Amino acid sequence: RAKQAGKGTYMLYGQNMQQYFDERVIIEKHLREAIDNNELSLQYQPKVTLPNGELWGFEALIRWNSPVLGFVSPLSFIGIAEDCRLIIPIGEWVLRKACLFLAGLHRQGLGPYHISVNISVIQLLMDDFAETVLKILRETGLNPRYLELEITESIIMESFEEISIKLEYLKQQGIGIALDDFGTGYSSLSYLKQLPITTLKIDKSFIDGLPGEGSSMPLAGSIVAIGHDMGLIVTAEGVETKEQLEFLRRVNCDKVQGYYISRPIAEGQVQAWTRQYARQMINVEKC
Ligand code: C2E
Ligand code: MG
Ligand code: MG
Ligand code: MG
């Protein structure tokens, strides 16, 4: 999973291969008990729609606080969880927890907001994946239209047919399907056209340099146009500055997410943040 190590985040392992493997074994060992020991939690990062900055919902992001290892980044453990298939119970836990949380917000009269959940290819390849998703929606009482699954481009090419059929089915139930980290994988535009997705999520690497200099259109602007041509909603991740947000609004990007709006928020703080945001539309509307 070297690719996941390349996201610019400091990895747990250091210099050599032996150390790398040792640390994988240690992570796997502790991860096995993480669910039962209540070491996993979710943070929620707001997503807002443009042009007005209305709160659309949140992306659920997993956090692991190990009593032995401390806080371990998902960039360090998701790949390992995939390799040892622990991602299946962990992924199901994430989905249930996120849907429960959102259904709870709705019951308290907030929203209705959407929830985006990251899904691993290992989960998608399970025969009962679609059933599991629908079962969790029933159990938690969340309407499918408020759930969005985020999948990454690199994974899909492996089993295009099988995955397309499942995603199409879920999409027909009203669930949104977002292609995460778009632009970093290898899929061609013709594949993109065949994929049953509703949303393109432009990778942060295309947002970092915005708005850029000179007269040429930055790639992010072209991606928005291509996405719209294909009838897709386009989201930008990793929006950190006012200038980036202004650019994205100018090119009609539909949704943004990033530190400029808010960092991921602990579950207990979401309500307060949401009420506060509704009062002020911090940063977004006024810029
Ligand atoms: P992702 O799905 O692309 O999520 C976006 C990552 O960028 C998150 O990192 C988020 O905290 C971070 N981020 C958001 N806005 C900004 C910004 O403005 N600037 C910067 N520098 N970073 C920003 P995080 O939470 O560490 O997650 C990393 C990756 O781990 C995720 O990338 C996703 O691929 C994976 N992941 C996280 N939670 C889950 C999960 O529940 N299941 C699965 N399968 N993967 C997960
Ligand atoms: Mg994501
Ligand atoms: Mg992403
Ligand atoms: Mg990304």
Side-chain angles (χ1 to χ4, degrees), residues 60-95:
L61 293 159
I62 195 167
R63 297 291 177 260
W64 177 24
N65 187 9
S66 159
V68 182
L69 304 170
F71 278 99
V72 186
S73 161
L75 294 171
S76 294
F77 74 81
I78 292 290
I80 297 172
E82 287 174 337
D83 292 344
C84 64
R85 304 187 70 78
L86 275 174
I87 195 66
I88 293 164
I90 291 175
E92 191 170 330
W93 178 88
V94 170
L95 198 57

Side-chain angles (χ1 to χ4, degrees), residues 86-136:
L86 275 174
I87 195 66
I88 293 164
I90 291 175
E92 191 170 330
W93 178 88
V94 170
L95 198 57
R96 181 170 284 109
K97 176 96 178 159
C99 290
L100 255 181
F101 176 63
L102 204 78
L105 283 188
H106 291 177
R107 268 194 299 277
Q108 295 185 47
L110 288 165
Y113 301 118
H114 298 78
I115 187 78
S116 305
V117 178
N118 293 285
I119 301 292
S120 156
V121 67
I122 307 290
Q123 292 173 270
L124 270 172
L125 290 174
M126 295 290 288
D127 285 339
D128 61 354
F129 176 71
E131 266 169 65
T132 302
V133 172
L134 297 177
K135 186 184 76 184
I136 288 173

Side-chain angles (χ1 to χ4, degrees), residues 7 180-181 184 202-205 237:
K7 279 194 178 176
D180 205 351
D181 304 323
T184 60
I202 310 174
D203 189 67
K204 179 178 185 299
S205 56
E237 67 171 19

Side-chain angles (χ1 to χ4, degrees), residues 110-214:
L110 288 165
Y113 301 118
H114 298 78
I115 187 78
S116 305
V117 178
N118 293 285
I119 301 292
S120 156
V121 67
I122 307 290
Q123 292 173 270
L124 270 172
L125 290 174
M126 295 290 288
D127 285 339
D128 61 354
F129 176 71
E131 266 169 65
T132 302
V133 172
L134 297 177
K135 186 184 76 184
I136 288 173
L137 287 170
R138 274 196 310 275
E139 284 171 10
T140 57
L142 185 68
N143 186 314
R145 70 197 290 184
Y146 298 119
L147 176 63
E148 178 179 75
L149 306 179
E150 291 194 5
I151 56 183
T152 57
E153 196 181 358
S154 52
I155 65 178
I156 297 173
M157 296 308 129
E158 292 173 27
S159 309
F160 190 87
E161 278 290 316
E162 184 187 342
I163 289 178
S164 292
I165 291 167
K166 287 183 194 171
L167 293 179
E168 176 63 39
Y169 175 70
L170 290 169
K171 192 178 137 186
Q172 278 169 12
Q173 312 299 308
I175 296 169
I177 313 285
L179 195 54
D180 205 351
D181 304 323
F182 179 71
T184 60
Y186 305 98
S187 61
S188 69
L189 289 176
S190 63
Y191 267 112
L192 187 62
K193 235 174 123 177
Q194 294 170 47
L195 260 184
I197 55 175
T198 53
T199 295
L200 270 192
K201 207 167 165 193
I202 310 174
D203 189 67
K204 179 178 185 299
S205 56
F206 299 98
I207 308 303
D208 288 337
L210 294 181
E213 280 160 39

